[in-house]
Amino acid sequence: YQRRVHGILILLGNLSPTQMQSYDPAKISCKPRVNAALMPRYKNQAVLLVGKAEDYDPAQSTAQIQTSDGMMVPVLMTPNPQLANVTEFFGIVSADGRSLQEISRYDMNDDFDLANYDQLLNLMHNQYRSLFLEN
């Protein structure tokens, strides 16, 4: 399934058009940025996850992504034959908090510093939580 949001074509995973309405990126006021350790806090919620592709199977539309905290997260992806080395995924955390259903993704530069990004996540979810997160 695919849809246009503000003129941008977004490839969607196995979500129906009705389900996707509640996950429209233009209507979500706050998308928490997470690493693997933070995902269980956001079960069944929309998040942003940045990581490095370690294993990608385009035939199965799945990837193993190494997140900024060095942990591996399985991502069920939208059909697409290409995946950048470092990618930001917008998706829904699974009910068990250990995997992600991709809604859309953005390719990052290969020189993206995951260690610095992990430090940012630590500050965002702890010391400066009130500045970055709604609750």
Side-chain angles (χ1 to χ4, degrees), residues 20 32 58 82 89 98:
M20 186 52 204
Q82 296 179 334
F89 295 93
R98 294 187 295 191

Side-chain angles (χ1 to χ4, degrees), residues 1 15 28 45 104:
Y1 178 71
L15 300 175
I28 296 174
Q45 294 181 48
S104 63

Side-chain angles (χ1 to χ4, degrees), residues 86-126:
V86 179
T87 304
E88 177 184 65
F89 295 93
F90 169 58
I92 307 301
V93 177
S94 64
D96 65 6
R98 294 187 295 191
S99 63
L100 189 78
Q101 167 70 55
E102 176 203 9
I103 294 172
S104 63
R105 65 180 173 256
Y106 178 78
D107 295 341
M108 310 291 275
N109 292 330
D110 286 346
D111 61 353
F112 186 85
D113 191 327
L114 287 170
N116 278 345
Y117 184 74
D118 202 59
Q119 291 176 2
L120 171 70
L121 292 179
N122 185 43
L123 292 171
M124 288 174 69
H125 285 270
N126 295 298

Side-chain angles (χ1 to χ4, degrees), residues 15-30:
L15 300 175
S16 71
T18 304
Q19 290 172 313
M20 186 52 204
Q21 291 301 323
S22 62
Y23 300 119
D24 185 342
K27 294 181 180 177
I28 296 174
S29 61
C30 181

Side-chain angles (χ1 to χ4, degrees), residues 62-101:
T62 59
Q64 289 291 323
I65 304 299
Q66 182 180 17
T67 59
S68 60
D69 57 352
M71 298 172 67
M72 299 301 289
V73 171
V75 176
L76 181 57
M77 299 173 33
T78 59
N80 189 330
Q82 296 179 334
L83 178 64
N85 187 36
V86 179
T87 304
E88 177 184 65
F89 295 93
F90 169 58
I92 307 301
V93 177
S94 64
D96 65 6
R98 294 187 295 191
S99 63
L100 189 78
Q101 167 70 55

